[in-house]
Amino acid sequence: MLRNSALAVVFIVSPAAAYAQAEIVAEEDPWTGTASLGFLSTSGNTDTTSYNTKFKISYEQDSWTHSFNAAANGAEEGGMTTAEAYKAGGKTAYSFSEHNYLFGEVNWRKDRFSGVDQQLSVAVGYGHRFIDTPAHLLSGEVGVGQRSLDFADGTSESGVIGTLGIDYKWTFSETSNFEQTVDVESGSENT
């Protein structure tokens, strides 16, 4: 009798446990993020070191997506700095249909060893997701904005820009993916 009662309890509780587990799996966390850090040091005829780091965090809720990213890299050879660059940016996108969205973004870049000391750009535009599957995401964007440049020689420039962007993401496992982004900012003075 006790064995039959135990089996009855298992049959009654099992569907409830399976339903509760399905509910937990169905709720997705709106926060996602990635981070990377690299460091290389060599010695011999010349001592060199290089580093790179970047992170991205995103929050997605309903039709809105908000993201922030930052990166830094540098190198040193024989006690002299040979590369030093930083960038940070934020983007908000609103999806108004399954494949179409509007976006606004702000990007800041600083590179000690380029002709441009630092630049700040702000843009708004339209984006379209050409491929949107669990494994592949391909989207393109076009926009308009404003860019301010501070050159290494102390001069500055600002003006209207057109923007073009292509993003591709290939997710090949639960914890691994490949991402490639191409961004173009074009103004009357330079691209």
Side-chain angles (χ1 to χ4, degrees):
M1 179 70 175
L2 183 60
R3 194 172 87 183
N4 289 342
S5 297
L7 285 174
V9 168
V10 169
F11 284 117
I12 291 170
V13 173
S14 293
Y19 177 74
Q21 185 177 9
E23 284 296 313
I24 292 169
V25 171
E27 292 181 24
E28 291 188 28
D29 189 357
W31 290 97
T32 58
T34 60
S36 66
L37 175 64
F39 180 79
L40 175 65
S41 179
T42 61
S43 62
N45 293 341
T46 308
D47 293 335
T48 62
T49 60
S50 64
Y51 69 89
N52 63 62
T53 182
K54 67 178 179 176
F55 81 92
K56 180 178 182 180
I57 188 166
S58 297
Y59 180 81
E60 188 171 343
Q61 189 70 38
D62 301 322
S63 297
W64 290 94
T65 302
H66 309 284
S67 62
F68 176 76
N69 64 77
N73 62 57
E76 186 177 288
E77 184 174 335
M80 302 265 311
T81 301
T82 57
E84 184 179 344
Y86 309 94
K87 69 178 185 174
K91 184 175 190 175
T92 293
Y94 175 75
S95 295
F96 60 89
S97 72
E98 184 179 354
H99 295 285
N100 301 294
Y101 60 95
L102 299 174
F103 71 89
E105 66 181 339
V106 176
N107 289 299
W108 172 80
R109 295 173 202 87
K110 181 170 182 65
D111 190 341
R112 183 174 161 197
F113 291 93
S114 73
V116 178
D117 180 44
Q118 67 178 344
Q119 61 180 310
L120 177 68
S121 62
V122 178
V124 295
Y126 163 78
H128 181 79
R129 288 181 283 277
F130 298 101
I131 301 171
D132 192 358
T133 67
H136 300 280
L137 175 65
L138 176 65
S139 62
E141 298 177 345
V142 62
V144 64
Q146 175 79 21
R147 177 177 58 199
S148 297
L149 300 160
D150 293 332
F151 295 101
D153 65 5
T155 62
S156 62
E157 163 190 308
S158 65
V160 176
I161 56 168
T163 65
L164 180 66
I166 299 171
D167 293 321
Y168 174 69
K169 182 177 180 180
W170 172 31
T171 303
F172 47 88
S173 79
E174 255 184 56
T175 58
S176 301
N177 64 53
F178 168 81
E179 291 186 53
Q180 183 65 51
T181 302
V182 177
D183 291 315
V184 177
E185 294 179 354
S186 182
S188 62
E189 298 296 320
N190 66 40
T191 298

